[in-house]
């Protein structure tokens, strides 16, 4: 079994203009449908059900099933919950110091309207439906904080080793203008200018971390134990705004089209902190202005990184729903690849504090920006539903998406800048399977009880020898809900969904000492969504 692994710090999202990653591609492309409270409560197993504004993003033919016009508005509260455990030496130390955290955000994952026009014909085309609907397709809310004591490796040691191995000159790293001329990664420039790393031995190319010491044998290592903390927080949403057209043929066959305009905003912030457990373990000698040598001691440091991306695109989608037998509905839909334009911004900041405050240092990078094009994959849905004479229904969906077709391009249409990440996409992305099950029971014509379940495989792949294999990391969602429909036009639905995320292994920084792995955080997280829909039929 292969586990999900995330290297966050030394695979920075935007150290240079061409630093897009496979992780970014998944962030921009993957869906986890929201919609109305009814569709969410039924696990969004709506491909063959239709009749609900939440279903239109999944299958455009769903708008034609309802023989009336309607308008809906759906607020939602999302709560990210989870626990982060720390291992100072990954693969050797047990995970401990579990820290539980939560983060709450408010969203509106559905609003829109459809207008049903009846042709007056008793056969053939009986009605046409026009719709403008926005449905949420992903929520980026998450948070984690974890850490512990480490006496083997240090963030600043990893940063210094990286600067030495890459042959960066201190003259370049000390120059603020280097942020904009791509002579070194921004993280490295910030690390030097904020006092996290420094040169030694009179060299402009050899670096040591402020938490490290040179031992009698000439080796460099962590001078004493440090207390490490890593934290990250993400938020934002992805929506599909669809212009819909649906057709009802003889109340037995429905088909529809969507012109979809997806858009997203994604904010990612993280930090790394290290404190000296005992500052006396970390003496640092400085050449002072009088030509002598002064000594201070490392106390603590902090690095912060902020990244923001927003994108807008366009796609087409076609869907059908058929009633081959009483009570039975079959549905299918296919969506074209999505052409997107993405703008992103990023910034680094760092501070290092010493026991003698005159040596404290800090730095904030300029705000970087970059724009490019991205193509997210096509997707296809199949569904079946069976209704029990007005007493309720059950539904089953299967969604297929091939993420190996994702591609980054320059804004001018060329993709030479992205050859490396596009090659990673072909090698390490693949098919994702999504199975959705839903049920609705009506104890009375006005009230409904609902439940749903989702199982989603990972689109990430790895290699064993020459064999490409899927990462065994499953995402599960369970949902419940209820609804009230008046004898008039008003209806009201509520739903709750819990999504259990696949376990994630987060590396704070890369390995830099032979046979000693750097720390790792095991994150076990989930997401609660509490949703309500207010609607009117007319």
């Amino acid at each position: 079994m292969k586990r999900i692994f995330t290297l966050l710090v030394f695979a920075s999202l935007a150290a240079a203009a061409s630093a897009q990653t496979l992780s970014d591609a998944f962030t921009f492309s993957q869906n986890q449908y929201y919609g109305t409270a009814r569709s969410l409560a039924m696990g969004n197993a709506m491909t063959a059900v239709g009749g609900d504004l939440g279903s239109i993003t999944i299958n455009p033919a769903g708008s034609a099933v309802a023989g009336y016009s309607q308008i809906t508005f759906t607020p939602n509260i999302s709560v990210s919950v989870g626990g982060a455990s720390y291992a100072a030496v990954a693969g050797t130390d047990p995970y401990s110091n579990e820290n539980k955290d939560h983060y709450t955000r408010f969203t509106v994952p559905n609003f829109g309207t459809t207008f049903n026009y009846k042709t007056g014909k008793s056969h053939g085309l009986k009605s046409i439906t026009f719709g403008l609907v926005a449905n949420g397709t992903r929520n980026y809310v998450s948070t984690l904080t974890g850490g512990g004591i480490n006496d083997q490796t240090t963030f600043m040691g990893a940063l210094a080793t990286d600067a030495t191995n890459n042959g960066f000159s201190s003259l370049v790293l000390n120059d603020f203008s280097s942020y904009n001329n791509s002579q070194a990664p921004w993280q490295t420039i910030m690390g030097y200018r904020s006092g996290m790393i420094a040169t030694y031995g009179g060299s402009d190319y050899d670096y040591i971390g402020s938490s490290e010491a040179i031992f009698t044998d000439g080796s460099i290592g962590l001078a004493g134990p440090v207390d490490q903390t890593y934290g990250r927080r993400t938020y934002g949403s992805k929506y599909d705004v669809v212009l819909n057209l649906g057709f009802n043929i003889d109340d037995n066959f429905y088909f529809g089209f969507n012109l979809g305009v997806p858009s997203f905003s994604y904010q990612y912030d993280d930090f790394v902190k290290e404190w000296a457990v005992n500052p006396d373990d970390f003496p640092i000698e400085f050449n002072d202005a009088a030509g002598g040598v002064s000594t201070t001691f490392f106390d603590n440091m902090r690095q912060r990184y902020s990244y923001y991306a927003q994108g807008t695109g366009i796609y087409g989608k076609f869907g059908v729903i058929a009633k081959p037998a009483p009570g039975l509905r079959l549905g299918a839909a296919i969506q074209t690849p999505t052409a997107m334009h993405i703008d992103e911004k990023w910034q680094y900041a760092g501070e290092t504090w010493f026991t003698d405050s005159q040596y404290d240092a800090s730095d904030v990078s300029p705000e970087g920006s970059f724009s490019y094009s991205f193509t997210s994959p096509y997707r296809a849905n199949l569904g079946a539903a069976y209704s029990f004479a007005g007493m309720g229904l059950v539904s089953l969906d299967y969604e297929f998406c091939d993420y190996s077709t994702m591609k980054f391009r320059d804004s001018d249409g060329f993709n030479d800048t992205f050859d490396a990440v596009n090659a990673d996409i072909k090698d390490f992305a693949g098919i994702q399977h999504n199975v959705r099950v839903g049920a609705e029971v009506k104890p009375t014509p006005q009230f409904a009880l609902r439940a749903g379940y989702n199982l989603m495989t990972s689109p990430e792949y790895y290699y064993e020898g020459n064999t490409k294999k899927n990462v065994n990391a499953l995402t599960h969602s369970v949902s419940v809900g209820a609804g009230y429909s008046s004898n008039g036009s008003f209806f009201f639905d509520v739903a709750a969904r819990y999504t259990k995320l696949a376990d994630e292994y987060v590396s704070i920084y890369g390995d830099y000492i032979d046979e000693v792995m750097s720390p790792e955080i095991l994150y076990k997280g989930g997401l609660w969504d509490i949703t309500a829909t207010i609607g009117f039929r007319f």
Side-chain angles (χ1 to χ4, degrees):
M1 181 184 78
K2 188 73 173 179
R3 63 189 187 179
I4 289 183
F5 180 82
T6 306
L7 177 62
L8 285 167
V9 175
F10 282 86
S12 299
L13 293 168
S18 59
Q20 284 63 46
T21 66
L22 177 61
S23 177
D24 295 331
F26 287 135
T27 297
F28 303 151
S29 296
Q30 285 184 283
N31 284 348
Q32 186 176 18
Y33 298 108
Y34 278 75
T36 65
R38 181 185 182 223
S39 60
L40 187 140
M42 294 180 63
N44 278 302
M46 304 294 286
T47 299
V49 176
D52 182 275
L53 267 60
S55 72
I56 294 175
T57 302
I58 298 170
N59 187 348
S63 66
V65 173
Y68 44 79
S69 303
Q70 55 182 317
I71 184 170
T72 61
F73 175 77
T74 305
N76 174 78
I77 293 176
S78 296
V79 184
S80 170
V81 295
S85 302
Y86 174 85
V89 180
T92 301
D93 291 350
Y95 295 101
S96 60
N97 298 338
E98 183 180 21
N99 181 70
K100 295 186 179 296
D101 208 350
H102 68 276
Y103 182 42
T104 302
R105 299 286 289 184
F106 174 82
T107 59
V108 181
N110 160 265
F111 55 92
T113 186
T114 55
F115 298 93
N116 183 261
Y117 169 74
K118 292 178 173 58
T119 64
K121 296 180 180 180
S122 59
H123 299 288
L125 180 61
K126 300 185 72 172
S127 66
I128 303 173
T129 303
F130 306 90
L132 181 62
V133 180
N135 282 320
T137 53
R138 190 163 181 189
N139 192 334
Y140 295 116
V141 59
S142 72
T143 186
L144 75 84
T145 305
I149 303 299
N150 193 332
D151 62 1
Q152 297 289 315
T153 63
T154 171
F155 173 86
M156 292 180 287
L159 196 64
T161 301
D162 184 71
T164 300
N165 291 342
N166 282 284
F168 297 129
S169 168
S170 60
L171 299 178
V172 170
L173 299 185
N174 195 45
D175 188 350
F176 188 82
S177 67
S178 295
Y179 280 117
N180 294 318
N181 58 28
S182 300
Q183 294 188 57
W186 284 25
Q187 185 181 57
T188 308
I189 299 170
M190 177 279 305
Y192 184 83
R193 289 175 53 84
S194 65
M196 296 179 190
I197 62 175
T199 55
Y200 68 95
S203 171
D204 289 331
Y205 297 91
D206 294 321
Y207 296 88
I208 185 171
S210 291
S211 55
E212 294 186 300
I214 303 174
F215 300 117
T216 55
D217 62 358
S219 64
I220 296 175
L222 183 61
V226 293
D227 189 349
Q228 297 177 323
T229 300
Y230 170 78
R232 78 169 186 217
R233 177 166 288 182
T234 64
Y235 56 91
S237 301
K238 184 154 72 82
Y239 285 86
D240 282 15
V241 178
V242 299
L243 183 63
N244 172 265
L245 187 61
F247 302 89
N248 174 0
I249 309 296
D250 285 326
D251 292 326
N252 283 314
F253 182 77
Y254 312 87
F255 65 95
F257 304 91
N258 281 349
L259 178 64
V261 181
S263 63
F264 73 88
S265 63
Y266 173 73
Q267 178 73 44
Y268 172 100
D269 297 290
D270 74 13
F271 68 86
V272 179
K273 295 181 180 180
E274 291 184 341
W275 291 268
V277 174
N278 181 2
D280 291 342
D281 291 335
F282 301 89
I284 300 173
E285 293 183 346
F286 289 87
N287 294 324
D288 58 32
V293 176
S294 299
T295 301
T296 188
F297 299 85
F298 166 72
D299 188 78
N300 68 90
M301 58 76 61
R302 178 178 63 178
Q303 181 208 255
R304 291 168 290 152
Y305 174 69
S306 180
Y307 170 83
Y308 175 76
Q310 62 180 8
T312 304
I314 189 168
Y315 67 81
K317 194 166 191 174
F318 172 76
V320 298
I321 296 176
K323 295 180 177 179
L328 178 64
R329 294 183 186 180
L330 301 177
I334 187 166
Q335 179 177 309
T336 68
T338 301
M340 302 194 76
H341 176 81
I342 297 174
D343 299 305
E344 61 182 27
K345 298 178 181 180
W346 65 91
Q347 190 170 43
Y348 283 96
E351 301 91 16
T352 309
W353 290 274
F354 301 90
T355 53
D356 188 341
S357 62
Q358 69 174 310
Y359 298 109
D360 294 349
S362 63
D363 190 55
V364 178
S365 77
E367 185 178 75
S369 62
F370 188 49
S371 299
Y372 52 91
S373 298
F374 175 71
T375 301
S376 65
Y378 71 93
R379 60 185 73 241
N381 291 19
L382 296 172
Y386 189 84
S387 60
F388 300 92
M391 297 296 293
L393 63 87
V394 293
S395 59
L396 174 66
D397 274 20
Y398 168 70
E399 182 169 310
F400 168 95
C401 189
D402 185 359
Y403 288 89
S404 68
T405 62
M406 300 183 295
K407 183 170 288 188
F408 290 96
R409 290 185 176 88
D410 290 325
S411 294
D412 57 12
F414 298 99
N415 61 5
D416 292 349
T417 305
F418 302 102
D419 283 347
V421 65
N422 287 335
D424 285 344
I425 289 171
K426 289 183 178 180
D427 287 340
F428 300 107
I431 295 171
Q432 182 178 62
H433 306 279
N434 188 354
V435 177
R436 303 188 290 263
V437 181
E440 180 179 70
V441 176
K442 289 189 171 183
T444 71
Q446 287 78 33
F447 290 93
L449 300 175
R450 304 172 182 122
Y453 172 73
N454 279 198
L455 175 65
M456 186 183 300
T457 66
S458 172
E460 297 184 61
Y461 284 72
Y462 67 101
Y463 284 88
E464 281 190 0
N466 294 322
T467 304
K468 187 175 181 178
K469 294 187 175 183
N470 182 232
V471 171
N472 184 15
L474 302 177
T475 299
H476 303 267
S477 294
V478 178
S479 53
V480 294
Y484 167 76
S485 181
S486 71
N487 292 327
S489 66
F490 174 75
F491 61 95
F492 178 73
D493 301 307
V494 294
R497 178 174 70 184
Y498 176 70
T499 302
K500 174 66 176 70
L501 305 175
D503 291 349
E504 184 182 0
Y505 296 82
V506 181
S507 179
I508 303 176
Y509 46 87
D511 299 336
Y512 68 98
I513 298 176
D514 291 343
E515 300 181 358
V516 178
M517 297 184 69
S518 294
E520 188 173 82
I521 291 175
L522 169 59
Y523 178 64
K524 295 178 176 286
L527 182 66
W528 281 100
D529 288 292
I530 310 297
T531 300
T533 295
I534 300 170
F536 296 89
R537 303 183 179 99
F538 55 95

